[in-house]
Amino acid sequence: MAHDPFTLIVAADRHREAKGHVYVDDGATFDYRDKGEFCQTLLSLKGTSLSSRVVAGKCDFGNSVEKIYILGLQKLPEAIYRSSAGNKEALDFYIEGERILIKLPNVKITNEWEIMLLF
């Protein structure tokens, strides 16, 4: 379970925005307290961008993000891209009713990245 992938659920408000924090540590020791071995990221959906930014800790955990669900968009995107370390890559996504599923976005929960929605 410590290395299991994450599923993120992003619920947009009426302005197409959402914000939340993700906290990760080893789940077994007090190293978060004694050695500062934890990671806190800020996930933010604003306009056409879903981004992850490290806000605290040592982010050495390797958990990947397996799925991202985005709920509450009034409009559905035509394309979705991932931007990481200067590279831009088209992502596969699926429309499931009124939600969007981005499967295997190839990002880590503790890395900084951006996903762009093109409408």
Side-chain angles (χ1 to χ4, degrees):
M1 189 164 168
H3 302 288
D4 286 351
F6 280 74
T7 294
L8 302 176
I9 300 173
V10 180
D13 64 14
R14 62 186 172 137
H15 303 291
R16 203 183 326 168
E17 296 181 2
K19 191 185 310 184
H21 287 90
V22 175
Y23 174 89
V24 180
D25 64 24
D26 68 12
T29 70
F30 290 106
D31 287 350
Y32 72 92
R33 180 188 67 200
D34 300 336
K35 298 179 183 177
E37 292 181 3
F38 69 93
C39 183
Q40 184 177 5
T41 59
L42 172 65
L43 293 175
S44 178
L45 174 68
K46 187 167 179 115
T48 62
S49 172
L50 172 63
S51 63
S52 174
R53 300 286 174 253
V54 173
V55 294
K58 299 177 188 174
C59 296
D60 295 331
F61 302 92
N63 300 72
S64 62
V65 175
E66 183 177 45
K67 299 175 188 172
I68 302 173
Y69 288 100
I70 303 176
L71 316 169
L73 298 178
Q74 275 87 38
K75 236 176 129 178
L76 298 175
E78 297 174 12
I80 299 178
Y81 294 91
R82 183 191 75 240
S83 177
S84 181
N87 296 321
K88 185 177 171 183
E89 181 180 338
L91 297 176
D92 291 329
F93 67 99
Y94 307 91
I95 307 298
E96 298 180 343
E98 294 183 10
R99 69 182 182 178
I100 299 162
L101 167 61
I102 304 169
K103 197 167 183 183
L104 300 173
N106 197 26
V107 295
K108 302 284 185 191
I109 196 68
T110 56
N111 289 7
E112 296 194 351
W113 45 264
E114 181 178 21
I115 292 177
M116 297 159 291
L117 309 172
L118 301 179
F119 295 94

